[in-house]
mmCIF file with all atom_site columns, all heavy atoms in Angstrom:
data_model
loop_
_atom_site.group_PDB
_atom_site.id
_atom_site.type_symbol
_atom_site.label_atom_id
_atom_site.label_alt_id
_atom_site.label_comp_id
_atom_site.label_asym_id
_atom_site.label_entity_id
_atom_site.label_seq_id
_atom_site.pdbx_PDB_ins_code
_atom_site.Cartn_x
_atom_site.Cartn_y
_atom_site.Cartn_z
_atom_site.occupancy
_atom_site.B_iso_or_equiv
_atom_site.pdbx_formal_charge
_atom_site.auth_seq_id
_atom_site.auth_comp_id
_atom_site.auth_asym_id
_atom_site.auth_atom_id
_atom_site.pdbx_PDB_model_num
ATOM 1  N N   . GLN A 1 30 ? -7.102  -35.431 3.759  1.00 88.00 ? 51 GLN A N   1
ATOM 2  C CA  . GLN A 1 30 ? -5.652  -35.417 3.829  1.00 88.00 ? 51 GLN A CA  1
ATOM 3  C C   . GLN A 1 30 ? -5.092  -33.997 3.893  1.00 88.00 ? 51 GLN A C   1
ATOM 4  O O   . GLN A 1 30 ? -4.210  -33.679 4.720  1.00 88.00 ? 51 GLN A O   1
ATOM 5  C CB  . GLN A 1 30 ? -5.060  -36.142 2.651  1.00 88.00 ? 51 GLN A CB  1
ATOM 6  C CG  . GLN A 1 30 ? -3.519  -36.286 2.706  1.00 88.00 ? 51 GLN A CG  1
ATOM 7  C CD  . GLN A 1 30 ? -2.996  -37.111 1.536  1.00 88.00 ? 51 GLN A CD  1
ATOM 8  O OE1 . GLN A 1 30 ? -3.748  -37.631 0.710  1.00 88.00 ? 51 GLN A OE1 1
ATOM 9  N NE2 . GLN A 1 30 ? -1.683  -37.211 1.444  1.00 88.00 ? 51 GLN A NE2 1
ATOM 10 N N   . ILE A 1 31 ? -5.653  -33.104 3.086  1.00 87.00 ? 52 ILE A N   1
ATOM 11 C CA  . ILE A 1 31 ? -5.223  -31.699 3.125  1.00 87.00 ? 52 ILE A CA  1
ATOM 12 C C   . ILE A 1 31 ? -5.546  -31.105 4.477  1.00 87.00 ? 52 ILE A C   1
ATOM 13 O O   . ILE A 1 31 ? -4.753  -30.344 5.039  1.00 87.00 ? 52 ILE A O   1
ATOM 14 C CB  . ILE A 1 31 ? -5.901  -30.914 1.975  1.00 87.00 ? 52 ILE A CB  1
ATOM 15 C CG1 . ILE A 1 31 ? -5.315  -31.366 0.616  1.00 87.00 ? 52 ILE A CG1 1
ATOM 16 C CG2 . ILE A 1 31 ? -5.722  -29.399 2.147  1.00 87.00 ? 52 ILE A CG2 1
ATOM 17 C CD1 . ILE A 1 31 ? -5.974  -30.711 -0.569 1.00 87.00 ? 52 ILE A CD1 1
ATOM 18 N N   . LEU A 1 32 ? -6.741  -31.378 4.991  1.00 89.00 ? 53 LEU A N   1
ATOM 19 C CA  . LEU A 1 32 ? -7.157  -30.815 6.245  1.00 89.00 ? 53 LEU A CA  1
ATOM 20 C C   . LEU A 1 32 ? -6.265  -31.298 7.398  1.00 89.00 ? 53 LEU A C   1
ATOM 21 O O   . LEU A 1 32 ? -5.879  -30.544 8.292  1.00 89.00 ? 53 LEU A O   1
ATOM 22 C CB  . LEU A 1 32 ? -8.610  -31.163 6.535  1.00 89.00 ? 53 LEU A CB  1
ATOM 23 C CG  . LEU A 1 32 ? -9.331  -30.375 7.645  1.00 89.00 ? 53 LEU A CG  1
ATOM 24 C CD1 . LEU A 1 32 ? -9.277  -28.886 7.371  1.00 89.00 ? 53 LEU A CD1 1
ATOM 25 C CD2 . LEU A 1 32 ? -10.777 -30.850 7.747  1.00 89.00 ? 53 LEU A CD2 1
ATOM 26 N N   . ASP A 1 33 ? -5.938  -32.601 7.368  1.00 89.00 ? 54 ASP A N   1
ATOM 27 C CA  . ASP A 1 33 ? -5.018  -33.179 8.405  1.00 89.00 ? 54 ASP A CA  1
ATOM 28 C C   . ASP A 1 33 ? -3.685  -32.423 8.388  1.00 89.00 ? 54 ASP A C   1
ATOM 29 O O   . ASP A 1 33 ? -3.151  -32.080 9.465  1.00 89.00 ? 54 ASP A O   1
ATOM 30 C CB  . ASP A 1 33 ? -4.815  -34.661 8.141  1.00 89.00 ? 54 ASP A CB  1
ATOM 31 C CG  . ASP A 1 33 ? -6.010  -35.521 8.515  1.00 89.00 ? 54 ASP A CG  1
ATOM 32 O OD1 . ASP A 1 33 ? -6.876  -35.002 9.240  1.00 89.00 ? 54 ASP A OD1 1
ATOM 33 O OD2 . ASP A 1 33 ? -6.089  -36.638 8.021  1.00 89.00 ? 54 ASP A OD2 1
ATOM 34 N N   . GLU A 1 34 ? -3.132  -32.260 7.224  1.00 91.00 ? 55 GLU A N   1
ATOM 35 C CA  . GLU A 1 34 ? -1.857  -31.595 7.094  1.00 91.00 ? 55 GLU A CA  1
ATOM 36 C C   . GLU A 1 34 ? -1.945  -30.143 7.521  1.00 91.00 ? 55 GLU A C   1
ATOM 37 O O   . GLU A 1 34 ? -1.020  -29.627 8.189  1.00 91.00 ? 55 GLU A O   1
ATOM 38 C CB  . GLU A 1 34 ? -1.357  -31.685 5.619  1.00 91.00 ? 55 GLU A CB  1
ATOM 39 C CG  . GLU A 1 34 ? -0.031  -30.948 5.315  1.00 91.00 ? 55 GLU A CG  1
ATOM 40 C CD  . GLU A 1 34 ? 1.131   -31.562 6.089  1.00 91.00 ? 55 GLU A CD  1
ATOM 41 O OE1 . GLU A 1 34 ? 1.016   -32.708 6.568  1.00 91.00 ? 55 GLU A OE1 1
ATOM 42 O OE2 . GLU A 1 34 ? 2.185   -30.878 6.146  1.00 91.00 ? 55 GLU A OE2 1
ATOM 43 N N   . TRP A 1 35 ? -3.037  -29.502 7.211  1.00 91.00 ? 56 TRP A N   1
ATOM 44 C CA  . TRP A 1 35 ? -3.191  -28.097 7.569  1.00 91.00 ? 56 TRP A CA  1
ATOM 45 C C   . TRP A 1 35 ? -3.220  -27.945 9.090  1.00 91.00 ? 56 TRP A C   1
ATOM 46 O O   . TRP A 1 35 ? -2.536  -27.045 9.673  1.00 91.00 ? 56 TRP A O   1
ATOM 47 C CB  . TRP A 1 35 ? -4.473  -27.526 6.935  1.00 91.00 ? 56 TRP A CB  1
ATOM 48 C CG  . TRP A 1 35 ? -4.655  -26.050 7.168  1.00 91.00 ? 56 TRP A CG  1
ATOM 49 C CD1 . TRP A 1 35 ? -4.080  -25.048 6.483  1.00 91.00 ? 56 TRP A CD1 1
ATOM 50 C CD2 . TRP A 1 35 ? -5.453  -25.448 8.192  1.00 91.00 ? 56 TRP A CD2 1
ATOM 51 N NE1 . TRP A 1 35 ? -4.479  -23.818 6.983  1.00 91.00 ? 56 TRP A NE1 1
ATOM 52 C CE2 . TRP A 1 35 ? -5.337  -24.048 8.037  1.00 91.00 ? 56 TRP A CE2 1
ATOM 53 C CE3 . TRP A 1 35 ? -6.236  -25.939 9.227  1.00 91.00 ? 56 TRP A CE3 1
ATOM 54 C CZ2 . TRP A 1 35 ? -5.971  -23.152 8.893  1.00 91.00 ? 56 TRP A CZ2 1
ATOM 55 C CZ3 . TRP A 1 35 ? -6.895  -25.038 10.063 1.00 91.00 ? 56 TRP A CZ3 1
ATOM 56 C CH2 . TRP A 1 35 ? -6.786  -23.670 9.894  1.00 91.00 ? 56 TRP A CH2 1
ATOM 57 N N   . VAL A 1 36 ? -4.014  -28.760 9.792  1.00 90.00 ? 57 VAL A N   1
ATOM 58 C CA  . VAL A 1 36 ? -4.096  -28.682 11.237 1.00 90.00 ? 57 VAL A CA  1
ATOM 59 C C   . VAL A 1 36 ? -2.736  -29.006 11.843 1.00 90.00 ? 57 VAL A C   1
ATOM 60 O O   . VAL A 1 36 ? -2.309  -28.344 12.816 1.00 90.00 ? 57 VAL A O   1
ATOM 61 C CB  . VAL A 1 36 ? -5.197  -29.619 11.757 1.00 90.00 ? 57 VAL A CB  1
ATOM 62 C CG1 . VAL A 1 36 ? -5.154  -29.675 13.316 1.00 90.00 ? 57 VAL A CG1 1
ATOM 63 C CG2 . VAL A 1 36 ? -6.575  -29.205 11.279 1.00 90.00 ? 57 VAL A CG2 1
#
Side-chain angles (χ1 to χ4, degrees):
Q51 185 176 355
I52 290 176
L53 195 57
D54 287 342
E55 177 65 16
W56 185 83
V57 173

